[in-house]
Amino acid sequence: MFSGAQISLYPMADDFVSVIMAALTGLDPWREALRIETDDISTLLVGPPEVLFAAMRDLFVRAAQTGVHCVLSAAVSRGCPGEPDDPICMAQGGFARDLALPDRIAAARANVGLAAVTGQDVAAQFSLYPLGEGPHMDEIYGCIDFLKASGTFDRSKNFCTRLRGDAGPVFATLCEAFTNFGTVAGHVVLDVTVSANSPSAR
Amino acid sequence: MFSGAQISLYPMADDFVSVIMAALTGLDPWREALRIETDDISTLLVGPPEVLFAAMRDLFVRAAQTGVHCVLSAAVSRGCPGEPDDPICMAQGGFARDLALPDRIAAARANVGLAAVTGQDVAAQFSLYPLGEGPHMDEIYGCIDFLKASGTFDRSKNFCTRLRGDAGPVFATLCEAFTNFGTVAGHVVLDVTVSANSPSAR
């Protein structure tokens, strides 16, 4: 199954180019497991979900540690019918398992509990879009049940859910939402915004 | 039908707050037609699609005219089953019409031709997600046919389509894609990134 992400990093600073260039070192441990293509709007990462979310986490943490108000925006996709299979996308942990919804919720929650802490606090909001045939709202409501028990849940908003906490469990929550909900071979998109160092009080 | 958007504006500048505050005047002509709620990650706009896209255009053009590298990121949604109907969302022009796909493509193309020019050049990329039952890839391929004839088409990328040109026809193209494709009463999300003044050569 093809999986990848279009990601963009926005440092709110005059020297945004140098913040981005420094943050790119966060991708270094992941480069062999990814195909990467950049243009002036976004960077395409192609690879398995667990690598995509770990690479985004490390990129964003590196940028946020400068202290600059930074935002990462990403659209993460799996199973898009318009994309060919790619061997680089073989998931280690598997995509949505062939398990009942309550079992997937429990597995996702356990995995978030294992996430390493990075020391960087973030706020995030995301939406999950299971496309094509099937009970898409059941999967979304199941995902929301997982989120509320994840330890990173902040609150529901129109069209999306807010998370907060350390970047480690927050990105783990996103990865679990992406891989456990929606049909096993289905087309699923996760759209996420992650923010750090915002001057706006919550 | 409920329709709205979660939008964020990212000026890549140390004084990003003043760029955002100045750009907010672009929303003034549209405030009576919208419900607006802001937090530290995004601003919710609730209203009919033609107002949502016009308001986003005027906000973004105002920010881009400062010369700062700016990005607008938005998730625009209609027909979400989790949202109550709201009288403020009544579309003037209607959502996806009960017409055959070729007729919707022709109507969308004609409407983009009527869009006023703003004088601000932009680059954009977006994805359209028709959710729930129905032939979602047929609607996406129909939308791509429209885009290729829209005058704003740049190129296809993984998971999304790039547009370029004046902000007037580019935002009109986004509005037509959102309102003409996907089923009439269906749940449709459009995810878009608009960029101006990027130092990266195309």
Side-chain angles (χ1 to χ4, degrees):
Chain A
M1 179 185 285
F2 193 86
S3 58
Q6 292 285 3
I7 71 168
S8 301
L9 181 62
Y10 307 121
M12 259 53 79
D14 290 350
D15 65 343
F16 64 93
V17 173
S18 60
V19 175
I20 292 172
M21 297 309 283
L24 286 175
T25 59
L27 294 182
D28 288 344
W30 307 107
R31 287 184 184 275
E32 293 207 356
L34 293 168
R35 180 159 65 81
I36 303 179
E37 295 171 15
T38 295
D39 70 14
D40 58 304
I41 299 186
S42 64
T43 290
L44 173 71
L45 306 179
V46 178
E50 67 276 15
V51 174
L52 296 174
F53 286 96
M56 288 192 283
R57 176 197 63 208
D58 291 354
L59 173 75
F60 186 70
V61 166
R62 202 65 65 98
Q65 283 172 342
T66 62
V68 165
H69 174 31
C70 290
V71 169
L72 174 82
S73 176
V76 195
S77 175
R78 64 175 170 90
C80 179
E83 308 283 355
D85 272 348
D86 191 319
I88 205 172
C89 301
M90 292 297 290
Q92 302 296 312
F95 291 99
R97 284 124 222 179
D98 202 6
L99 294 175
L101 200 48
D103 296 329
R104 285 183 274 141
I105 292 170
R109 191 177 166 185
N111 285 338
V112 173
L114 299 173
V117 168
T118 66
Q120 178 63 53
D121 200 51
V122 302
Q125 71 188 28
F126 81 103
S127 305
L128 186 74
Y129 307 122
L131 293 147
E133 303 301 320
H136 83 290
M137 291 306 294
D138 289 353
E139 292 291 323
I140 287 176
Y141 291 133
C143 185
I144 290 171
D145 287 344
F146 151 61
L147 295 171
K148 288 185 173 171
S150 67
T152 63
F153 182 77
D154 181 359
R155 62 186 171 87
S156 297
K157 292 175 61 171
N158 294 80
F159 320 134
C160 58
T161 298
R162 277 188 68 129
L163 306 178
R164 65 177 168 183
D166 185 90
V170 166
F171 278 89
T173 301
L174 296 169
C175 185
E176 294 300 320
F178 182 70
T179 52
N180 283 288
F181 302 93
T183 55
V184 178
H187 181 192
V188 175
V189 176
L190 182 146
D191 197 60
V192 62
T193 304
V194 188
S195 174
N197 310 322
S198 169
S200 305
R202 278 167 34 82
Chain B
M1 178 185 287
F2 192 85
S3 58
Q6 291 284 4
I7 71 170
S8 301
L9 180 62
Y10 307 122
M12 259 53 79
D14 290 350
D15 64 343
F16 63 94
V17 173
S18 60
V19 174
I20 292 172
M21 297 309 284
L24 286 176
T25 59
L27 293 184
D28 288 346
W30 308 108
R31 286 185 186 274
E32 292 206 357
L34 293 169
R35 179 158 65 82
I36 303 179
E37 295 170 15
T38 295
D39 70 14
D40 57 304
I41 299 188
S42 64
T43 290
L44 172 71
L45 306 180
V46 177
E50 68 275 14
V51 173
L52 297 174
F53 286 95
M56 287 191 284
R57 176 197 64 209
D58 291 354
L59 174 75
F60 186 69
V61 166
R62 203 64 68 97
Q65 283 172 344
T66 62
V68 165
H69 174 31
C70 290
V71 169
L72 174 82
S73 176
V76 195
S77 175
R78 64 174 169 92
C80 180
E83 306 285 356
D85 274 347
D86 190 319
I88 206 172
C89 301
M90 292 296 290
Q92 302 295 313
F95 291 98
R97 284 123 224 181
D98 201 6
L99 294 174
L101 200 48
D103 296 329
R104 284 184 274 143
I105 292 170
R109 192 176 167 186
N111 284 339
V112 173
L114 298 174
V117 168
T118 66
Q120 177 62 53
D121 200 51
V122 302
Q125 70 188 29
F126 82 104
S127 305
L128 187 74
Y129 307 122
L131 294 148
E133 304 301 321
H136 84 289
M137 291 307 292
D138 290 353
E139 292 290 323
I140 288 177
Y141 291 133
C143 184
I144 291 171
D145 287 345
F146 150 61
L147 295 171
K148 288 186 173 170
S150 66
T152 62
F153 182 77
D154 182 359
R155 63 188 171 86
S156 297
K157 292 175 63 170
N158 294 80
F159 319 132
C160 58
T161 299
R162 276 188 68 129
L163 307 178
R164 64 176 169 184
D166 185 90
V170 166
F171 278 89
T173 301
L174 296 168
C175 186
E176 295 299 320
F178 181 70
T179 52
N180 283 288
F181 303 93
T183 54
V184 178
H187 182 192
V188 174
V189 175
L190 182 146
D191 197 60
V192 62
T193 305
V194 188
S195 173
N197 310 321
S198 169
S200 305
R202 278 167 34 82

